[in-house]
Amino acid sequence: MTVQQVDAARALADQIIGGEPGHVLTGQSGDVLRQALLLIHEFVVAGDSSSFHYFGRALGIVEVLHAPWTRDDLVWALRLLLHDDPLTTVSDAPFWVPALIAAALDPAELDGLHDQLSAAFAALHDNHWYASGGLRELARLYGTALSRFNHAVPADLSIAMRYAHGDGAGLRDLLGDDAVQDVFRFAAGLAKPVPAKAWLREAGGRLAAAPGALEAAGLLLGAYRGGAQPVYDYVDALLRGLVWLQSSVAGEESTALLCEVAATLATPVRRGGAQVVAPKAAPAVVEVLAQRPGDAPVRTLARLSLTVCSRTLLPRIRTALERIGRERGWPPGEALELSVGDHGLGRDGRRAWSIGEGEEAVVTIEAGRARLRAYRGGDPLRAVPPAWKDAVAPARRFVTEVNQSLIVERRRVEGLFSQDRVWDWPTWSRRYLDHPITGDTARRLIWQASPDGATWTSGLPERTDAGWTLPDLGFPPGAGRRVRLWHPALVGPAEVARWRDRVLTAGLRQPVKQAFREVYRLTPAEERTRTYSNRFAAQLLHYRQTNALMRERGWSTNYLGPWNDGYHGEAKKEFGGGEWQAVFFHDWVETNAGDQEYCSTDQVRFGRRDGRNWVVTPVAEVPPLVFSEAMRDVDLFVGVTSIATDDDWQDRGEDRFHDYRRRAAFAGLTPSGEMRRDALARLLPRMVIGPRCELQERFLRVQGRLGAYRIHLGSGNILMEPDDAYLCIVPVRAKAKKVILPFDDDPVLSVILSKAIMLAADNRITDPAITAQLHRSRP
């Protein structure tokens, strides 16, 4: 090169490094272009490449230009790129020049560089900071280069198999066809969840020209049937396009494939988390299922509507269900009820597999769980014989599937507490009592029936020779009778008390808290603030625990932290069958507490649905059931995750929040605390420690052998008499015989009872962390 060419190359490199657009590269001689790009590569590898996010746009044009690349250029560029082990960079800039050189060289010039190119391709996937568009294009360039070795499948297409749990047998042979590869790359270019008609027409033409493409698409999607890891952006984009290609295949088999793929792609990466396995492909498969006939798509979408927490995907799922409901003439909520599958179980919740003569494996649903039992000659065996391992494998998988359905359906039925839903008797009997999945929950709940919608009779369902009924009904059940789910807010205190006594006396463990369900009524303070409630504001919560509990309860929210948009959170959940939305405001709290993270609570607001929008509504206009159920969730967040309930707080050595904790730990009771007092009033007389306990306004007082203690009914914190010294008992240390409660969603009540049992026999406590505190209080 001449001196003038070298100077021109340096000037050109400076322009690109300085942020000039890629068109400045056009019109340059090949030698100048080559030298400029090598200078750029050396600069971005040696320097801080975090600001070079524009390189993908700037250098992408180089692929269509012609530079006199050599094998030595590629060797040098790869050596610079891979000089760190492991490679550490927050930008894709160092990957561009080697990729462009590799794509331009003849296959023979790549001999001996397979390992280096593979290492670069692997390093490209080990960093999640890269921009999605650049990653997609770089993957194509490296993938094409690697495919030149032994005519292998392009790595950017074959890598899609890495994330699937299936094997995709036969896929590699089909992907060896250039025409199939072209179709796959066309599919990966789809830029939105729903393609335009022109895209679908072009897709049809491409599929006709490449007969193996549709089969390959089905095989790759089929590999995702059994689950998958979170996928990279360009793999996600490929799956999105393949879903729409598969949508062109009619029939139940194709629908079943799409349903199973949807269940995988929309699976939360973390339980209750917002991130799903494939955030681009999941909305696409939801849109495809909304257009498919049959019950299977409805069942899949209904399950996703109860398990997905993504703020973008969940509304799309619910809109799809509403659209299906309108097209099929179903009233609101009907789609979810009709979509509950029975898994082939009988009404008795039983399914059997024959193992041999006189031997069978039977799956039954008992108290909310599917269980596998072995029988020989009609008699139950103590355990499934090891020799049956292979034979009962399908039954074990079946148990897992049924248990997942039971959890989802229990969550759906609990959502009915915020709805003013009424069924006619035959429909209720068929969908809720006779159904093997729904019935396991519904048959243990209290219902109300009415002949006219004015007077209601409450009862637990009973089966008679004539069918289902409620005790003391006073009128014959059947057509024309109405049924609704019992809620303590719908009846008077006397009836609530009767049902609580009856549930305890019968030893009934309800699948969700109903008889002892808390009721939250509007307060004068909330009437004054009009559009919001401050009832649970100004509380300090353990943030990670709070966020996990929010998602567990079906609230979608952004994750807080010390980053842009991470200081303010809005947790949202729909109530009343999707007609109402509650919003719980909370904010990040900065501390120097190491790995401890906190948030502070603020207002709760409500919105009424208006098409796709939500209209902020005065709290006085919110239906009582919607208001009560939303506030119950917020009380749960505060009651369980507040630092006031953290027995281990004293060990943290922090005093910044000491005043708040002391005040909140022994504050007045919320409805959840009042419910605990009511439950304890019924439970304690049945317990051995009952005579040693006394219920006070805010405390459970326990008379031990060595002294007396007061356990706060809201926080579970303990004060020792006579000087109200704080007693720290971490729950794991308060191990005691498990107390059977009529519900299982109040961990604070369980902790209170465990502590009471321990303190009633305080002379038997041997834990030095507790006895040291007792001795300090009573020398």
Side-chain angles (χ1 to χ4, degrees):
M1 291 181 63
T2 66
V3 174
Q4 291 82 1
Q5 286 178 316
V6 172
D7 291 341
R10 287 175 177 166
L12 186 60
D14 289 342
Q15 284 182 282
I16 294 297
I17 292 170
E20 290 291 328
H23 66 74
V24 301
L25 299 172
T26 59
Q28 303 290 337
S29 70
D31 288 332
V32 170
L33 181 63
R34 168 182 169 272
Q35 186 63 32
L37 291 174
L38 293 177
L39 289 170
I40 290 171
H41 182 60
E42 184 176 25
F43 180 85
V44 298
V45 170
D48 176 12
S49 61
S50 61
S51 60
F52 303 139
H53 56 274
Y54 54 83
F55 266 47
R57 296 190 299 273
L59 300 186
I61 193 173
V62 175
E63 188 180 5
V64 299
L65 304 177
H66 297 287
W69 298 116
T70 67
R71 173 188 169 85
D72 289 341
D73 292 337
L74 180 58
V75 172
W76 174 83
L78 287 171
R79 185 169 64 247
L80 279 185
L81 174 65
L82 302 172
H83 76 289
D84 284 337
D85 187 20
L87 179 66
T88 56
T89 176
V90 294
S91 166
D92 62 14
F95 290 90
W96 277 98
V97 170
L100 293 166
I101 299 174
L105 290 177
D106 290 333
E109 295 181 277
L110 298 179
D111 286 347
L113 297 178
H114 179 273
D115 291 346
Q116 293 93 318
L117 287 169
S118 295
F121 186 67
L124 188 65
H125 292 80
D126 289 338
N127 197 319
H128 292 273
W129 292 96
Y130 306 147
S132 59
L135 179 61
R136 194 178 312 162
E137 185 62 17
L138 284 168
R140 182 185 67 80
L141 292 170
Y142 280 105
T144 300
L146 287 168
S147 70
R148 296 173 180 175
F149 295 92
N150 301 321
H151 303 287
V153 176
D156 59 313
L157 298 181
S158 62
I159 198 173
M161 289 298 303
R162 176 194 293 183
Y163 307 101
H165 290 175
D167 58 11
L171 177 60
R172 288 188 177 276
D173 292 339
L174 292 169
L175 282 179
D177 185 341
D178 290 344
V180 174
Q181 294 175 21
D182 289 341
V183 172
F184 269 48
R185 291 216 164 90
F186 167 77
L190 179 60
K192 50 188 178 180
V194 181
K197 292 181 179 179
W199 189 94
L200 292 172
R201 286 195 298 270
E202 184 175 353
R206 288 174 177 267
L207 289 173
L214 203 52
E215 182 184 355
L219 288 173
L220 180 55
L221 291 175
Y224 282 78
R225 272 177 149 157
Q229 305 169 34
V231 300
Y232 281 102
D233 174 83
Y234 72 87
V235 175
D236 197 1
L238 171 62
L239 294 173
R240 174 170 59 189
L242 295 183
V243 161
W244 279 102
L245 296 184
Q246 184 64 34
S247 72
S248 64
V249 181
E252 293 182 1
E253 185 176 343
S254 179
T255 297
L257 169 62
L258 288 165
C259 288
E260 293 180 59
V261 169
T264 294
L265 301 184
T267 298
V269 175
R270 294 184 299 108
R271 181 180 177 184
Q275 182 186 358
V276 297
V277 166
K280 292 182 182 294
V285 74
V286 167
E287 295 294 337
V288 168
L289 289 181
Q291 302 174 17
R292 308 287 292 195
D295 294 336
V298 184
R299 283 196 297 270
T300 300
L301 292 172
R303 171 171 287 191
L304 293 179
S305 73
L306 297 170
T307 58
V308 169
C309 294
S310 167
R311 292 191 295 170
T312 55
L313 182 58
L314 183 57
R316 188 181 292 272
I317 294 171
R318 288 174 172 165
T319 299
L321 282 171
E322 291 170 3
R323 186 161 73 242
I324 292 174
R326 287 194 302 270
E327 292 172 353
R328 302 188 185 186
W330 295 342
E334 199 87 352
L336 293 177
E337 289 183 5
L338 293 174
S339 65
V340 184
D342 60 13
H343 292 276
L345 292 161
R347 287 187 179 182
D348 57 355
R350 188 178 186 275
R351 182 176 173 182
W353 282 259
S354 177
I355 304 300
E357 185 175 353
E359 298 176 331
E360 62 178 0
V362 178
V363 173
T364 57
I365 297 178
E366 304 169 12
R369 288 185 59 83
R371 302 181 187 277
L372 174 64
R373 302 191 186 281
Y375 289 83
R376 181 176 288 133
D379 297 324
L381 304 180
R382 297 183 64 179
V384 177
W388 293 14
K389 179 179 178 180
D390 294 336
V392 299
R396 292 193 187 279
R397 290 193 296 269
F398 181 77
V399 167
T400 301
E401 294 171 3
V402 171
N403 279 329
Q404 291 174 346
S405 293
L406 288 169
I407 293 171
V408 171
E409 186 62 357
R410 192 156 53 243
R411 189 178 302 168
R412 183 190 73 82
V413 172
E414 187 176 17
L416 296 173
F417 281 120
S418 70
Q419 303 180 35
D420 188 17
R421 186 80 187 276
V422 177
W423 298 263
D424 66 86
W425 188 286
T427 300
W428 169 69
S429 298
R430 183 174 65 257
R431 295 182 187 173
Y432 282 85
L433 303 184
D434 289 333
H435 196 285
I437 300 295
T438 310
D440 178 74
T441 296
R443 291 190 289 268
R444 291 182 285 154
L445 294 177
I446 307 164
W447 298 84
Q448 290 184 301
S450 172
D452 53 13
T455 58
W456 295 86
T457 302
S458 306
L460 288 162
E462 291 182 357
R463 185 188 288 276
T464 67
D465 293 339
W468 290 101
T469 188
L470 298 181
D472 305 321
L473 196 56
F475 54 87
R481 310 307 187 190
R482 306 175 189 182
V483 182
R484 69 183 184 187
L485 185 61
W486 185 93
H487 192 293
L490 300 174
V491 299
E495 181 170 338
V496 173
R498 285 196 302 271
W499 273 112
R500 291 180 176 179
D501 287 335
R502 181 173 175 182
V503 166
L504 281 175
T505 301
L508 176 64
R509 188 175 179 84
Q510 293 194 286
V512 295
K513 187 189 288 186
Q514 185 187 30
F516 287 86
R517 201 168 191 83
E518 303 87 348
V519 175
Y520 298 76
R521 305 187 191 279
L522 202 64
T523 65
E526 288 160 340
E527 291 177 346
R528 289 193 296 271
T529 56
R530 290 194 69 250
T531 58
Y532 61 88
S533 167
N534 268 336
R535 188 183 306 196
F536 298 107
Q539 303 291 327
L540 192 66
L541 314 181
H542 288 289
Y543 178 63
R544 294 178 191 172
Q545 190 179 0
T546 302
N547 184 267
L549 189 54
M550 286 176 178
R551 298 189 185 282
E552 182 73 20
R553 294 293 302 170
W555 293 69
S556 59
T557 182
N558 55 309
Y559 199 87
L560 303 185
W563 48 74
N564 289 342
D565 302 324
Y567 288 87
H568 176 69
E570 297 183 7
K572 301 176 181 180
K573 182 179 178 179
E574 293 181 13
F575 293 88
E579 294 302 310
W580 291 89
Q581 182 189 70
V583 184
F584 176 37
F585 296 87
H586 54 291
D587 298 290
W588 171 259
V589 175
E590 291 194 88
T591 70
N592 296 318
D595 64 346
Q596 296 301 314
E597 298 176 352
Y598 306 104
C599 68
S600 62
T601 63
D602 204 336
Q603 302 172 358
V604 178
R605 291 179 178 262
F606 292 85
R608 187 199 306 268
R609 181 182 290 279
D610 182 13
R612 293 188 176 184
N613 300 316
W614 298 98
V615 179
V616 176
T617 306
V619 290
E621 298 178 16
V622 178
L625 293 181
V626 170
F627 182 85
S628 182
E629 290 301 303
M631 298 301 281
R632 179 179 182 270
D633 272 1
V634 177
D635 191 6
L636 177 67
F637 305 152
V638 174
V640 172
T641 70
S642 170
I643 67 170
T645 64
D646 184 359
D647 284 288
D648 207 23
W649 180 265
Q650 301 294 321
D651 295 336
R652 300 195 192 283
E654 289 185 46
D655 59 6
R656 176 180 172 187
F657 306 121
H658 175 78
D659 291 342
Y660 160 77
R661 186 181 185 280
R662 183 74 182 186
R663 182 177 65 255
F666 303 103
L669 300 183
T670 65
S672 61
E674 294 170 353
M675 182 283 302
R676 291 183 197 114
R677 184 173 56 198
D678 188 86
L680 287 169
R682 292 170 164 78
L683 285 168
L684 289 172
R686 306 165 186 267
M687 299 176 65
V688 174
I689 66 169
R692 310 189 70 82
C693 296
E694 174 193 353
L695 279 170
Q696 300 175 342
E697 181 182 359
R698 287 180 289 161
F699 295 89
L700 170 63
R701 184 179 185 274
V702 181
Q703 181 63 58
R705 302 291 180 179
L706 303 178
Y709 312 87
R710 292 191 298 150
I711 308 174
H712 190 260
L713 299 175
S715 65
N717 287 301
I718 308 169
L719 296 176
M720 294 185 286
E721 295 183 358
D723 58 353
D724 283 351
Y726 178 79
L727 175 60
C728 174
I729 300 181
V730 179
V732 70
R733 294 173 179 155
K735 294 180 180 178
K737 184 177 179 181
K738 186 172 179 61
V739 179
I740 303 300
L741 301 176
F743 46 82
D744 61 0
D745 62 350
D746 189 349
V748 177
L749 179 57
S750 299
V751 168
I752 290 173
L753 281 170
S754 295
K755 290 179 176 180
I757 293 171
M758 171 181 277
L759 294 173
D762 54 359
N763 58 320
R764 297 181 181 178
I765 297 175
T766 58
D767 189 326
I770 301 174
T771 57
Q773 298 176 75
L774 298 179
H775 294 157
R776 280 199 300 269
S777 179
R778 304 179 186 89

